Amino acid sequence: MVSLRFLLCFLFVSSAYATIVSHDGRAITIDGHRRVLLSGSIHYPRSTPEMWPDLIKKGKEGGLDAIETYVFWNAHEPTRRQYDFSGKLDLIRFLKTIQDEGLYGVLRIGPYACAEWNYGGFPVWLHNMPGMVFRTTNKSFMDEMQNFTTMIVDMVKKEKLFASQGGPIILAQIENEYGNVMGPYGESGKAYIKWCANMAQSLDVGVPWIMCQQNDAPQPMLNTCNGFYCDNFVPNNPNTPKMWTENWTGWFKQWGGKNPHRTTEDVAFSVARFFQRGGTFNNYYMYHGGTNFDRTAGGPYITTSYDYDAPLDEYGNLNQPKYGHLKQLHDVLHSMERTLTYGNISTIDFGNSASATIYKTEEGSSCFFGNGNENSDAKISFQGESYVVPAWSVTILPDCKNEAYNTAKITTQTSMMVKKPNEAEDTPSTLKWSWRPENVDNFILKGKGDSTQTQLFDQKVVTNDQSDYLWYMTTVKFKKRDLFLGKSMSLRVNSTAHALHAFVNGKHIGNQHAENGKFNYVFEKDVKFKSGRNVIALLSITVGLANYGAFFESKPAGITGPIFITGRNGDETIVKDLSAHKWSYKTGLNGFENQFFRTESMSKWSVESVPFNRSMTWYKATFKAPLGNDPVVVDLMGLGKGTAWVNGNNIGRYWPAFISSENGCDAKCNYRGAYHAEKCLTNCGEPTQRWYHVPRSFLNGEGDNTLVLFEEMGGNPSLVSFQTTRVGSVCANVYENKIIELSCDRKPISAIKFASFGNPYGNCGSFEKGTCESSNNTVDILTQECVGKEKCSIDVSTKKFGAPDCSGAARKLAVEVIC
Ligand code: GAL
């Protein structure tokens, strides 16, 4: 094996841009150089092609070497053998944008993605093929997976985008985290992973293949780690470099959930710790999360926003201080590339979770001082000097003498984002609405669909996931003298519909949605049936198909039953099982089929008595695009649940009526101690998602724009308004002898709201003066240096601000500026 590696190494080194694993397994070698690689995930369909250059450029400026993306099979092959690579799905254009920016690419073909993407990236038609089982040695599955994977590889090769061809792609991935779920697949799972490895190898891409979370990854697949921390990860082969494919920068959001937040200090800590302990490739998942447009959100219940608390926010703004603090870390790590990838490693354990790691080459040494203790700072003495390493932090000393970076000491500004009203409108908050009802009469009165079956089917099987909506309809006859008629009767539906509306004889008897995490529930309502024919119409709605777990493809969705009518007459109860009745099915809704969201003419839309709180209602309004270039959002406060379009572009599902619970938010959010998805939550008791991204490229700069809403539950559109998001104020809170840069992101700084040099306390937006303060007028000094400028750099020193007596404690500057 070793000799084969040497041979490969030798062969590849001679060709330009080749990526290989260094012969000792320490690093990825690109074009003859061992690299410390920082990478970030940006998923192309979660933004628009117009946004890509800016996002990727910001990645580069943030110190990334590479951009990583999955490939989304169900988006590219929505119908078997019919492909779509247009617009947001233009994978090649995305890869070329990475190349144009001079960055590397990491292509995770999967084709299973997970990614909180609908059905984990698998097409639903695939599930509906006879005898199909995903992700195991199932012939049809393997054939289809191979077909799609080969097609992607061929496309990429044709454009010469693999590093082996002189292109940017240095690594490719097959499967995704299969190791986490493979137990239930037994021996077939093991055989499947071997097949994946062979299949991938046979595609001959000329760059290494990775498999994440796959302890039994067959050679030459490189197994890699995913998680919030990967410093303890040991690859399954001594010649595999220590690589981290998913360092989760935050977390995803679900309807009913709160806003996740992973602190900057903790992300930086995890990265520094990983490199302290021999890591060589770190990819942020996500670097830009973006938006789940249309029906791409997975689930159930993944929100339209996929912000992820990533270094770039949903709209592409810098999420500060995360972006800047990580940028500084990347610069320091890159400066140590040679020592990190060639140096001899030695470690000193100081006890109490404190340690020093020294990387030493003949030219010099670089050090990491780590403190994994969550409560106490570590005092370390090293080569005659003493250092304090704050709890839960890592200090990096590129020369083993001077502290260049500490993960817990943030010297990057915090940016507070604000939403501004649409200045292009005179009265931006009162859009003029017109409306039309969704025509459901055929279904709720007649129970008439497209096909009938004497069985209740899983929704996916009927709809092929061409729509979120499926009608299940049946008729029930009661004799005139039926003893139960007029007595207390109810309809009981065992449901796995994410949301459900029930109608009996044209009357809406109720609706219900699953609680997050409990997608199996009983809907029960009292109903008055009449003698003769009764029509029961149930509208089942999916809110993103499952994307994770063993055999997730078979998780039920829709109304899988059983369904009963129960009646009570005195002590007697009858139960009538309707499950094997004749059920009539209809996929989709009339307004979607007739593309109401595209309708140009006003003819059938009425401006008279626009209804509020009416279910199954279409609303339409025109508006002017907000001035300027700041990202645009639409505030859908007041609405219930539905879908929104701007100029015919589906901006995703909305559900502002879904309020998160009051409890579980953590005002104090301590970065110390291991992060988990329930830590540091915000937005308790508020709509899970109120604002929805409208990419600028969806808008007409001049002239009118159209917003169309389909409201399922009933809502009030009168509060809907378009807004822009931008930096409202920026803050810094740094110790003396640092330089801090303040920037309003290409807008001038307009005023200094707060400034104090001494021992101020509090957080951005609520700073307070402390007990000691400089007698110099700090606000005046900063006004002179910053106001009117787009950015200013401040030397936080006593020379500049005076030397207040803070009883020997280090002095700090706290400043808040208005943009
Ligand atoms: C991982 C998966 C990613 C994403 C992540 C959570 O398990 O590989 O695709 O789903 O979890 O955001």
Side-chain angles (χ1 to χ4, degrees):
M1 202 65 226
V2 170
S3 58
L4 182 65
R5 263 179 194 283
F6 264 102
L7 184 65
L8 283 173
C9 176
F10 181 75
L11 284 174
F12 283 153
V13 157
S14 53
S15 76
Y17 298 110
T19 333
I20 51 159
V21 169
S22 71
H23 64 81
D24 54 3
R26 279 285 288 281
I28 296 291
T29 300
I30 304 175
D31 202 14
H33 297 287
R34 291 185 182 207
R35 301 301 307 270
V36 159
L37 290 166
L38 279 316
S39 166
S41 292
I42 301 179
H43 295 155
Y44 51 100
R46 286 179 157 145
S47 53
T48 59
E50 292 76 11
M51 292 169 70
W52 297 342
D54 180 59
L55 295 173
I56 293 166
K57 188 154 178 275
K58 284 173 171 158
K60 186 177 184 183
E61 286 167 3
L64 296 187
D65 304 287
I67 302 294
E68 175 276 342
T69 186
Y70 281 124
V71 176
F72 299 94
W73 185 0
N74 55 0
H76 292 303
E77 195 175 348
T79 306
R80 191 160 178 265
R81 303 299 179 262
Q82 287 177 29
Y83 298 102
D84 185 359
F85 287 91
S86 66
K88 292 193 286 287
L89 296 177
D90 194 343
L91 171 65
I92 296 297
R93 177 168 166 189
F94 182 74
L95 296 172
K96 286 187 172 169
T97 314
I98 295 173
Q99 184 174 38
D100 290 346
E101 221 23 89
L103 291 182
Y104 299 123
V106 177
L107 190 65
R108 301 173 81 186
I109 301 178
Y112 168 64
C114 189
E116 291 69 68
W117 186 267
N118 192 35
Y119 218 33
F122 283 134
V124 174
W125 56 256
L126 182 69
H127 171 61
N128 291 341
M129 287 175 72
M132 175 60 62
V133 186
F134 289 177
R135 304 175 82 194
T136 186
T137 48
N138 174 293
K139 172 95 172 53
S140 316
F141 177 77
M142 294 190 295
D143 286 350
E144 292 296 320
M145 170 165 167
Q146 182 159 7
N147 183 71
F148 181 74
T149 310
T150 308
M151 191 198 60
I152 294 295
V153 165
D154 287 349
M155 275 177 76
V156 172
K157 269 192 190 169
K158 191 163 153 260
E159 301 290 336
K160 301 213 174 344
L161 291 168
F162 285 108
S164 46
Q165 306 172 288
I169 301 169
I170 53 170
L171 296 166
Q173 181 179 306
I174 193 77
E175 249 297 339
N176 185 52
E177 288 196 340
Y178 189 69
N180 290 359
V181 298
M182 74 188 281
Y185 295 86
E187 288 305 312
S188 306
K190 292 183 192 156
Y192 165 65
I193 258 327
K194 289 198 184 115
W195 172 82
C196 289
N198 286 332
M199 192 267 283
Q201 257 329 87
S202 74
L203 296 174
D204 196 21
V205 294
V207 301
W209 284 95
I210 52 177
M211 274 187 170
C212 59
Q213 298 290 99
Q214 198 66 50
N215 288 333
D216 62 347
Q219 293 299 302
M221 302 289 111
L222 306 175
N223 89 305
T224 65
C225 183
N226 291 351
F228 291 116
Y229 306 94
C230 277
D231 43 283
N232 285 328
F233 169 69
V234 182
N236 67 355
N237 184 292
N239 285 329
T240 295
K242 183 164 169 170
M243 296 161 73
W244 192 353
T245 27
E246 292 183 20
N247 180 348
W248 301 321
T249 53
W251 203 238
F252 55 84
K253 197 158 78 159
Q254 286 176 280
W255 298 114
K258 293 144 196 157
N259 288 356
H261 176 58
R262 185 176 180 201
T263 63
T264 299
E265 292 93 333
D266 187 59
V267 182
F269 173 69
S270 71
V271 178
R273 202 130 171 107
F274 178 69
F275 283 97
Q276 171 170 13
R277 302 181 70 179
T280 176
F281 168 96
N282 168 77
N283 176 68
Y284 297 102
Y285 186 101
M286 301 295 297
Y287 195 75
H288 170 257
T291 309
N292 291 313
F293 297 109
D294 210 325
R295 304 174 55 245
T296 60
Y301 277 11
I302 301 297
T303 55
T304 296
S305 169
Y306 196 63
D307 180 88
Y308 222 89
D309 196 24
L312 299 176
D313 75 9
E314 177 177 3
Y315 320 113
N317 297 312
L318 307 188
N319 177 10
Q320 294 282 40
K322 200 172 267 184
Y323 175 89
H325 192 53
L326 294 175
K327 172 184 162 69
Q328 289 173 3
L329 173 57
H330 304 157
D331 292 348
V332 174
L333 290 170
H334 279 138
S335 77
M336 295 154 48
E337 189 160 72
R338 217 186 138 71
T339 25
L340 289 186
T341 54
Y342 285 95
N344 282 329
I345 307 175
S346 57
T347 306
I348 307 169
D349 188 348
F350 298 105
N352 207 13
S353 304
S355 64
T357 307
I358 303 108
Y359 286 80
K360 189 170 166 31
T361 65
E362 275 168 10
E363 291 117 67
S365 307
S366 298
C367 289
F368 293 85
F369 297 162
N371 181 5
N373 191 297
E374 346 181 342
N375 301 312
S376 54
D377 297 350
K379 292 189 183 62
I380 287 180
S381 64
F382 181 79
Q383 293 180 348
E385 304 274 345
S386 57
Y387 302 86
V388 176
V389 184
W392 203 257
S393 81
V394 176
T395 297
I396 306 178
L397 310 91
D399 58 358
C400 284
K401 217 172 154 47
N402 297 295
E403 168 172 335
Y405 186 87
N406 175 274
T407 57
K409 296 180 190 166
I410 297 181
T411 58
T412 297
Q413 70 178 34
T414 296
S415 301
M416 309 283 272
M417 306 307 289
V418 289
K419 308 231 164 39
K420 298 258 176 199
N422 181 4
E423 284 160 2
E425 301 268 16
D426 301 334
T427 49
S429 58
T430 48
L431 297 169
K432 291 266 171 303
W433 293 99
S434 56
W435 75 287
R436 61 190 294 171
E438 166 67 20
N439 186 352
V440 291
D441 289 355
N442 254 346
F443 316 119
I444 65 174
L445 294 172
K446 298 187 193 143
K448 240 177 84 191
D450 289 342
S451 61
T452 52
Q453 294 285 343
T454 49
Q455 198 183 331
L456 288 165
F457 279 116
D458 186 285
Q459 182 151 346
K460 295 185 287 293
V461 175
V462 186
T463 64
N464 247 324
D465 201 39
Q466 298 297 313
S467 168
D468 281 353
Y469 303 96
L470 179 63
W471 289 98
Y472 293 75
M473 297 161 288
T474 195
T475 54
V476 187
K477 285 193 184 124
F478 284 100
K479 292 208 180 88
K480 223 180 196 153
R481 274 195 284 278
D482 194 301
L483 284 178
F484 290 87
L485 271 185
K487 301 284 180 332
S488 82
M489 295 184 92
S490 74
L491 177 68
R492 191 193 315 151
V493 181
N494 287 280
S495 171
T496 48
H498 305 152
L500 161 71
H501 288 260
F503 302 82
V504 173
N505 298 329
K507 193 167 164 268
H508 189 244
I509 62 161
N511 65 301
Q512 189 167 335
H513 61 79
E515 257 177 69
N516 190 3
K518 293 191 197 135
F519 293 101
N520 206 326
Y521 61 94
V522 176
F523 169 89
E524 183 153 24
K525 278 274 161 328
D526 290 344
V527 181
K528 288 236 168 342
F529 288 98
K530 60 182 186 192
S531 68
R533 188 169 171 270
N534 292 272
V535 177
I536 298 174
L538 305 171
L539 179 63
S540 167
I541 307 169
T542 49
V543 188
L545 299 178
N547 55 263
Y548 184 74
F551 305 107
F552 73 84
E553 74 267 30
S554 312
K555 282 191 190 160
I559 300 169
T560 41
I563 299 180
F564 304 104
I565 290 177
T566 58
R568 279 173 300 281
N569 182 21
D571 290 343
E572 210 185 334
T573 305
I574 54 142
V575 177
K576 201 173 163 61
D577 189 342
L578 304 181
S579 312
H581 254 222
K582 197 156 120 194
W583 286 93
S584 181
Y585 289 93
K586 165 76 189 171
T587 297
L589 292 177
N590 174 49
F592 284 72
E593 236 162 66
N594 291 307
Q595 304 198 323
F596 285 179
F597 46 87
R598 287 199 193 283
T599 312
E600 246 67 74
S601 91
M602 290 292 289
S603 59
K604 285 195 187 149
W605 294 80
S606 165
V607 290
E608 304 298 319
S609 30
V610 177
F612 290 170
N613 295 326
R614 184 186 184 283
S615 64
M616 305 288 159
T617 304
W618 292 81
Y619 293 102
K620 179 155 110 170
T622 54
F623 65 97
K624 294 261 185 291
L627 307 174
N629 300 317
D630 291 331
V632 177
V633 293
V634 59
D635 180 354
L636 294 182
M637 194 67 169
L639 286 161
K641 173 183 185 299
T643 303
W645 295 260
V646 170
N647 297 331
N649 299 287
N650 187 326
I651 63 166
R653 299 186 186 102
Y654 68 77
W655 200 345
F658 211 146
I659 310 286
S660 72
S661 74
E662 293 282 349
N663 307 321
C665 283
D666 180 359
K668 281 203 296 294
C669 180
N670 184 355
Y671 70 84
R672 296 173 179 189
Y675 177 74
H676 50 86
E678 298 301 312
K679 202 175 158 182
C680 296
L681 297 169
T682 56
N683 206 40
C684 279
E686 299 286 334
T688 295
Q689 190 181 346
R690 171 173 169 182
W691 288 278
Y692 297 80
H693 184 205
V694 183
R696 280 272 174 193
S697 59
F698 290 180
L699 295 169
N700 304 315
E702 311 276 313
D704 280 346
N705 294 279
T706 307
L707 170 68
V708 172
L709 305 173
F710 172 62
E711 174 57 51
E712 284 163 30
M713 301 201 324
N716 174 355
S718 66
L719 296 173
V720 169
S721 77
F722 285 83
Q723 298 162 9
T724 51
T725 73
R726 53 168 294 188
V727 182
S729 57
V730 305
C731 295
N733 189 4
V734 282
Y735 285 103
E736 62 187 302
N737 301 325
K738 292 271 181 235
I739 293 188
I740 166 89
E741 189 170 276
L742 299 176
S743 150
C744 279
D745 203 11
R746 284 167 281 181
K747 304 240 162 43
I749 294 170
S750 63
I752 309 292
K753 188 172 162 203
F754 176 93
S756 171
F757 184 65
N759 62 353
Y761 61 93
N763 295 317
C764 188
S766 60
F767 286 133
E768 303 262 2
K769 291 184 176 177
T771 47
C772 68
E773 193 181 27
S774 167
S775 56
N776 297 10
N777 191 328
T778 318
V779 172
D780 278 358
I781 302 172
L782 290 169
T783 303
Q784 285 249 319
E785 293 218 1
C786 301
V787 171
K789 297 183 186 149
E790 287 184 6
K791 58 176 159 199
C792 57
S793 190
I794 303 152
D795 174 12
V796 183
S797 64
T798 48
K799 206 167 123 229
K800 176 163 242 108
F801 294 103
D805 178 8
C806 296
S807 320
R811 304 169 188 98
K812 257 183 156 179
L813 172 74
V815 49
E816 178 175 355
V817 313
I818 311 285
C819 292

